[in-house]
Amino acid sequence: MKYMLLISHGDPGAWENLSEEEQKALPAAYQAIEETPGVTPGQWMQPPDTATTVRVQDGRTLTTDGPFVEMKEAIGGYLFYEADDLDAAIELAGRIPAARMGGAVEIRPLNQ
């Protein structure tokens, strides 16, 4: 089964609360995730305030700068993971640093 893992970052101040040693360990932790067999790395995204939200109403395209609603968690990145089952995807999601830093990882099966 192939899954998409949507990585949400929680508290934007969480990074500043980490020790220097913890901050230096994060890139290696993400690199280890990307090197896991079955993982297809995605891309990290810019912060939500750089977004443009698009809606179509009555045939008109409307745009709004930034996210449309105030949110505590925002998608910061994603990856794809081909695994035997959901339990394997959950184990991988638990290794993603954002999940331990006030964020969350949403796992969605992909249509095959």
Side-chain angles (χ1 to χ4, degrees):
M1 173 68 67
K2 195 162 194 173
Y3 299 93
M4 182 174 196
L5 282 69
L6 301 167
I7 304 166
S8 299
H9 293 275
D11 177 13
W15 174 263
E16 288 81 25
N17 294 331
L18 296 175
S19 70
E20 187 175 331
E21 184 177 304
E22 290 171 317
Q23 288 179 4
K24 288 180 179 178
L26 283 179
Y30 279 108
Q31 184 68 35
I33 297 290
E34 291 180 2
E35 293 173 354
T36 300
V39 169
T40 302
Q43 295 289 315
W44 289 107
M45 297 179 218
Q46 295 292 319
D49 62 356
T50 66
T52 299
T53 300
V54 177
R55 288 184 169 65
V56 177
Q57 293 178 346
D58 300 321
R60 290 186 32 220
T61 301
L62 308 173
T63 61
T64 305
D65 290 339
F68 187 71
V69 296
E70 188 66 29
M71 61 183 89
K72 291 185 179 187
E73 291 183 347
I75 301 296
Y78 64 93
L79 61 86
F80 297 100
Y81 185 41
E82 187 143 355
D84 292 334
D85 55 31
L86 179 60
D87 289 337
I90 291 169
E91 187 278 326
L92 179 70
R95 292 175 36 211
I96 295 174
R100 296 188 303 271
M101 297 175 58
V105 178
E106 179 181 334
I107 302 169
R108 288 197 199 176
L110 299 177
N111 291 331
Q112 301 280 331

